[in-house]
Amino acid sequence: MSDLDYLKTSIELARDNVARGGQPFGALLVRDGVVLAEGVNESYIDHDCTAHAEIQAIRNAGKQHNTTSFAGSTMYASGKPCAMCMAAMIQAGVSRLVYCADDDVGEDYGWSTEYLYQRMQRDFGHQGIATTHLPLDDKTRVFELYKGKHGQGSNEQMKG
């Protein structure tokens, strides 16, 4: 299948989701020509604001393939992913994104991503959420416990 075929499938997923009462977003996670998982925006089901199509595809792929790493994969999304979804793709190691509807389309329907991207560009603590850092003396205990059980921690996914 080609990029166009996968993208058309993500749009079909979005259309089917709208028919079920959901929002107009679908996504496919693909690696080496194999669809690892699909996802649709399911925020309306459990009132979960994080259940966007791309995140659902990553969650489903994790459950189906028993991993959190999807290096070398491509996400096909019916609409431009929001900043939260982009961060999830970065965290999961997704290597490529192909999407269809951009903000110029989404904005007419109340689905622009621009505000969230702009807000996330602000320095930490200045993104509109009151933030307080309270460093406690025992803050390292859980990290030491983890290190003792699993060896040195890893920032591989965070390094991108």
Side-chain angles (χ1 to χ4, degrees):
M1 288 179 62
S2 69
D3 283 349
L4 183 60
D5 294 323
Y6 290 124
L7 197 55
K8 285 181 177 180
T9 300
S10 76
I11 294 167
E12 290 171 16
L13 289 168
R15 184 185 62 236
D16 292 346
N17 197 43
V18 169
R20 289 190 303 273
Q23 297 169 337
F25 301 100
L28 292 171
L29 187 60
V30 177
R31 183 170 47 206
D32 298 327
V34 175
V35 175
L36 300 175
E38 300 175 346
V40 294
N41 187 307
E42 296 179 322
S43 296
Y44 68 101
I45 293 174
D46 291 323
H47 308 288
D48 177 356
C49 65
T50 69
H52 290 191
E54 300 86 352
I55 291 176
Q56 294 299 82
I58 292 168
R59 287 175 177 159
N60 293 336
K63 290 174 188 173
Q64 292 170 23
H65 301 281
N66 297 314
T67 186
T68 59
S69 178
F70 297 100
S73 66
T74 299
M75 182 69 74
Y76 293 90
S78 62
K80 180 181 175 183
C82 72
M84 175 184 66
C85 291
M86 185 61 79
M89 287 186 276
I90 291 167
Q91 184 71 18
V94 173
S95 301
R96 186 167 170 253
L97 167 66
V98 179
Y99 70 98
C100 185
D102 205 347
D103 281 342
D104 61 343
V105 173
E107 186 171 29
D108 289 342
Y109 301 93
W111 297 106
S112 177
T113 66
E114 194 57 35
Y115 172 73
L116 188 54
Y117 276 106
Q118 288 176 358
R119 191 169 171 180
M120 293 305 294
Q121 288 178 12
R122 299 177 194 163
D123 289 339
F124 181 79
H126 300 278
Q127 297 162 323
I129 297 174
T131 304
T132 304
H133 178 212
L134 294 174
L136 302 175
D137 290 338
D138 62 351
K139 64 185 173 265
T140 60
R141 287 186 185 151
V142 292
F143 292 98
E144 290 298 324
L145 179 62
Y146 181 86
K147 184 178 177 182
K149 289 185 175 256
H150 303 284
Q152 185 64 31
S154 172
N155 282 333
E156 292 295 317
Q157 290 178 321
M158 298 297 282
K159 290 179 183 174

